[in-house]
Amino acid sequence: VERVIAFDMGGTSTDVARFDGDFEYVFEHRVGPVALAAPALAIETVAAGGGSICRVEQGRLAVGPQSAGADPGPASYGVGGPLSLTDVNLLLGRLVPDRFPIPIDMEAACARFDELRLELESSVSEAGDDEEILEGLLRIADERMGDAIRHISVRKGIDPAGYSLVAFGGAGGQHACRVAELLEIEEVLLPGDA
């Protein structure tokens, strides 16, 4: 595959980059408050990962940029964490609990989601059913990741539909197909050791 968009979705963020026969570089960039004049791979990072916290903010659903991190982690890790994208995928049946390397606490994820639903219902007249709320949270995250890909492609006059999306990272496979659909990318590659 000669034209690739790398899609690395981990626990706290998603990194995307483009390969079109050669790597794309930036020669000036910022790392925190420091401006650097040195060549580096052009990688766009967005605060959307499996640990991104799902909440209600000013009567609307919000995802991230805050992250549950690894400790306490998502609610389903069973140590008091907040509702996160991992929990949303679990509650929608997109994750198989017995395939996880750690025990998954479905009740904790349900309890945190119930709290979010009650908060949303107190803010708006029609919150929707559980599946609509959960799908809405996923849509927010997917759009944010799609925007990161648009930043490295569309904003530079490049149509991402002509590329293959290579998904990796701990959460990449959970969102790759939906992100590809947003961008009209027809091929998603998921390496065995993603």
Side-chain angles (χ1 to χ4, degrees), residues 56 58-60 117-126:
V56 175
Q58 298 178 358
R60 292 156 65 163
R117 185 176 24 78
L118 289 172
E119 186 177 351
L120 185 62
E121 288 172 348
S122 71
S123 301
V124 297
S125 58
E126 299 227 4

Side-chain angles (χ1 to χ4, degrees), residues 76 85-100 104 106 170-171 173-174:
S76 57
L85 277 179
T86 296
D87 301 313
V88 169
N89 280 307
L90 176 69
L91 295 172
L92 284 170
R94 300 178 73 208
L95 293 176
V96 182
D98 60 1
R99 300 286 307 259
F100 260 72
I104 293 300
M106 180 71 89
Q174 296 169 28

